[in-house]
Amino acid sequence: MNGLLRSETRKLTTTRLWLGLLAGGVALVALYVLVIAFTAGNDARARDVLPALSSPAAVRTVYGVPAEVGYLMPLILGVTIICTEYRHRTITPTLLATPRRARVLLAKVVVAAGAGFLMGVVLTFVAAALGAAAIAARGYPVLLTSDGVPRLLGLMTVALGVWCVFGLGFGALLRNQVAAVVSAIALVTIVDGLLALLLRWIHLGTVAQYLPGSASRAIINPATTRGAELLPWWGGALVLLAWGLGTAAVGSFVTLRRDVT
Amino acid sequence: MALVTEAPGTTAVPRAGGAGIIEVAHLQKRFGSLKAIDDLSFVVRPGQVCGFLGPNGAGKTTTLRCILGLITPTAGGATIAGRHYAELEDPLATVGAMLDAGSFHPGRTARDHLRVLCAAAGIADRRADEVLALVGLTEGARRKVGNFSTGMRQRLGLAGALLGDPDVLVLDEPATGLDPAGINWLRQLLRHLAHERNKTVLLSSHLLSEMEHTADRVVIISQGRLVREGTMAELVGSASASVRVVTPQPDRLIEALAERGATVERVGDALVVRSSDTAAVGKVAFDHGIELHELTSLHEDLEDVFLELTRAADDQELRS
């Protein structure tokens, strides 16, 4: 298994994609952190959406940017970990070297979790450092050690690892890289939200909180939920973990049986 | 000539053991309603290069993928050294394979591609450099595969197949994209591995002529069925020779040749005589005072034999 983990790690590090996604993630997180930090509380009408940064819940919106948007990068990374093998047909030499497919998939899940976690560490660090600087610049206390913030920072690193595993499972189901990346992003950014709205509309808002996007947001435990019902932070973490492992399990199960033509 | 095809049933049970023996037994694969492989059985033994031939779409790649455990057969199966591929203890040290003309990530270097496989198969990393040298790719080792020519990709695919120094090589169309020098090099290498190092080599091609100087044995399939199995020498022997004759008195010549027991066929305004002896045909005409306008020796080459064999299978398919 050690050899397989090394093999999967080499696959990641010998191409440049991870670097591009990490750079994109850093840029995305930095942009969101700055925009949120410098607009929060400015507009009287929007205060219930973006309240002033005087409460722990409000600063969590700034520090929680990796879980709000940064997770897209480990999600894409996870999709590509499996889809690139189908795209360039390297799945053939991979399965020839290790015909026991379950072991290949297990190694991929472990490497995806690790890579997503490391990405999470970097993005969380960027959000914390840049967020604290921006909040301080606006004259508010940075509240980095206050209510729920350290927990949020720690949980986000793990959550991004889970998102990478979710992407892996999703990619294993679709196999086509472009289709899988586009639909994974659409699923978490559009479908998830629309479904939540729809569920709330038919008074099933309690169901909506179990969607992956809502579960991820619950970890932030933000000041305002814009009318959505969210699980407590630990519930969100567990539900997100279930989504990641469940999707990976279904994707693996399908991959075990499928012919590689 | 004896066809080596064994009667169904005699090859059914995979024989135990036999290092390096590839055995395909009653292999069948359906894709939906399409029968890609239909009751295919053959054996490849160590010490020989076996050409696996068939026209495009005959099921060659599907068969090789079944042997390598990438495709699950609908019925029957294939074993290597008496085991299914997925049950091999050390797959890369047992079988080296190249499919799809090699499959590489264009952004990864040749060396890294092999090192990824080394790690997965528990092979020392320096072996990557050894096989790169063996296929003549040392120069390009640290270049991205995306910049490789087809011939270089082919060599890298072969390097991957040789990585575990396996007893069995399974290569799908390995000569595609190689220049004449490359094909010659490949031929020497494969014959060396089979004859000097007693390895089993199974390689597919859709060109019989390409195999003539490479393969010791051939397995020919068409429409997923075995049409011929035997040595290359037998196949070359079955390529028939004939004589083409043009005469204004075809009926008299046919009669005269028939008296000598020759088989004659009318092809347009010419006659084709089953014989390799041009002089004998000319003498028959001379003895009977028949005017000749043309007397040509025709040699059917291997490609014609191949076409005939695979076409016969097609016709059978249409009739059934």
Side-chain angles (χ1 to χ4, degrees):
Chain A
M1 200 67 203
N2 278 340
L4 265 184
L5 290 175
R6 207 164 66 241
S7 179
E8 288 301 326
T9 308
R10 277 183 183 175
K11 281 179 193 170
L12 258 189
T13 54
T14 52
T15 57
R16 293 280 179 75
L17 186 74
W18 68 274
L19 197 61
L21 288 173
L22 185 62
V26 168
L28 194 66
V29 166
L31 182 73
Y32 264 76
V33 163
L34 292 177
V35 168
I36 293 175
F38 284 102
T39 56
N42 286 358
D43 188 338
R45 285 162 302 172
R47 278 216 182 119
D48 51 332
V49 178
L50 268 181
L53 299 168
S54 48
S55 72
V59 295
R60 279 202 302 269
T61 310
V62 176
Y63 296 135
V65 162
E68 186 74 38
V69 294
Y71 72 94
L72 287 174
M73 297 302 160
L75 173 70
I76 296 171
L77 185 72
V79 169
T80 59
I81 283 176
I82 182 80
C83 289
T84 192
E85 295 248 36
Y86 286 107
R87 183 173 178 205
H88 300 299
R89 316 192 64 145
T90 50
I91 189 74
T92 296
T94 294
L95 293 182
L96 287 178
T98 317
R100 292 173 176 91
R101 299 186 188 182
R103 305 186 56 187
V104 174
L105 288 159
L106 186 61
K108 282 191 184 296
V109 167
V110 172
V111 168
F117 170 75
L118 288 178
M119 232 181 205
V121 169
V122 174
L123 297 187
T124 300
F125 176 79
V126 169
L130 203 61
I135 292 167
R138 294 206 62 193
Y140 295 104
V142 296
L143 299 174
L144 260 176
T145 53
S146 73
D147 177 35
V149 174
R151 182 188 67 217
L152 167 66
L153 296 179
L155 265 181
M156 274 195 305
T157 58
V158 179
L160 266 59
V162 174
W163 275 113
C164 198
V165 172
F166 177 86
L168 174 69
F170 191 77
L173 285 174
L174 264 68
R175 279 187 294 175
N176 180 306
Q177 180 155 304
V178 176
V181 168
V182 171
S183 50
I185 293 175
L187 184 74
V188 295
T189 58
I190 302 169
V191 179
D192 194 292
L194 276 180
L195 208 57
L197 271 180
L198 189 72
L199 285 168
R200 255 179 273 147
W201 185 54
I202 56 172
H203 305 293
L204 285 173
T206 45
V207 176
Q209 62 193 350
Y210 292 96
L211 291 169
S214 303
S216 187
R217 198 163 299 120
I219 294 173
I220 305 173
N221 195 8
T224 165
T225 60
R226 292 166 232 169
E229 293 173 53
L230 289 184
L231 293 165
W233 66 267
W234 55 269
L238 288 177
V239 168
L240 186 62
L241 185 67
W243 273 105
L245 294 181
T247 312
V250 174
S252 301
F253 182 75
V254 170
T255 308
L256 289 184
R257 296 160 168 259
R258 209 154 28 189
D259 283 344
V260 179
T261 52
Chain B
M1 175 194 324
L3 286 183
V4 187
T5 318
E6 291 174 66
T10 53
T11 53
V13 188
R15 286 181 269 272
I21 291 182
I22 302 174
E23 174 147 11
V24 175
H26 299 290
L27 187 67
Q28 193 192 84
K29 179 65 186 178
R30 284 170 179 277
F31 292 111
S33 63
L34 176 80
K35 244 188 200 172
I37 307 290
D38 190 8
D39 196 28
L40 180 64
S41 303
F42 63 90
V43 178
V44 188
R45 296 177 193 285
Q48 55 180 233
V49 178
C50 179
F52 187 41
L53 292 148
N56 290 330
K60 299 187 296 291
T61 302
T62 303
T63 304
L64 297 185
R65 285 185 174 268
C66 285
I67 293 173
L68 297 169
L70 295 167
I71 291 180
T72 311
T74 309
T79 56
I80 297 166
R83 291 178 167 210
H84 292 293
Y85 191 90
E87 296 161 357
L88 292 173
E89 284 295 325
D90 199 350
L92 289 199
T94 312
V95 189
M98 176 171 82
L99 299 172
D100 319 312
S103 319
F104 318 103
H105 191 294
R108 195 173 283 140
T109 68
R111 188 164 176 266
D112 283 337
H113 169 77
L114 295 175
R115 285 162 64 94
V116 162
L117 297 178
C118 283
I123 297 169
D125 286 344
R126 64 180 146 74
R127 178 71 185 153
D129 298 311
E130 285 174 23
V131 290
L132 283 169
L134 185 64
V135 301
L137 267 184
T138 304
E139 300 259 308
R142 284 163 204 268
R143 274 171 57 193
K144 288 186 177 170
V145 181
N147 304 322
F148 275 22
S149 66
T150 315
M152 289 172 82
R153 294 168 66 94
Q154 211 76 337
R155 283 166 188 263
L156 179 56
L158 205 60
L162 295 169
L163 200 62
D165 193 21
D167 294 326
V168 178
L169 282 173
V170 176
L171 310 171
D172 194 10
E173 309 260 351
T176 310
L178 288 182
D179 55 20
I183 290 177
N184 193 44
W185 164 82
L186 178 69
R187 180 175 292 154
Q188 304 294 334
L189 177 69
L190 296 181
R191 291 183 70 85
H192 167 79
L193 291 173
H195 301 158
E196 316 297 327
R197 300 192 52 199
N198 203 38
K199 294 188 188 291
T200 311
V201 181
L202 176 63
L203 70 160
S204 76
S205 174
H206 57 276
L207 295 172
L208 182 55
S209 51
E210 189 178 272
M211 289 285 173
E212 191 178 351
H213 304 291
T214 311
D216 306 304
R217 291 182 65 83
V218 283
V219 171
I220 301 179
I221 65 168
S222 180
Q223 310 256 351
R225 290 187 201 164
L226 185 73
V227 294
R228 182 75 176 265
E229 184 184 356
T231 67
M232 186 53 101
E234 285 170 341
L235 203 70
V236 170
S238 69
S240 59
S242 50
V243 178
R244 181 184 144 95
V245 198
V246 179
T247 168
Q249 301 142 288
D251 295 333
R252 279 194 60 205
L253 184 61
I254 290 174
E255 204 178 309
L257 286 166
E259 279 171 23
R260 302 292 199 85
T263 314
V264 190
E265 216 183 324
R266 271 177 193 268
V267 179
D269 54 359
L271 302 179
V272 173
V273 189
R274 286 256 165 190
S275 166
S276 58
D277 196 343
T278 323
V281 175
K283 186 162 190 314
V284 169
F286 181 77
D287 290 347
H288 289 77
I290 300 168
E291 181 184 345
L292 292 189
H293 293 169
E294 187 190 328
L295 184 64
T296 323
S297 166
L298 296 179
H299 277 289
E300 194 184 34
D301 64 14
L302 271 179
E303 223 51 59
D304 296 322
V305 176
F306 180 51
L307 277 175
E308 220 166 87
L309 281 169
T310 53
R311 198 182 297 130
D314 288 5
D315 292 348
Q316 210 172 10
E317 180 74 11
L318 285 176
R319 261 182 269 124
S320 64

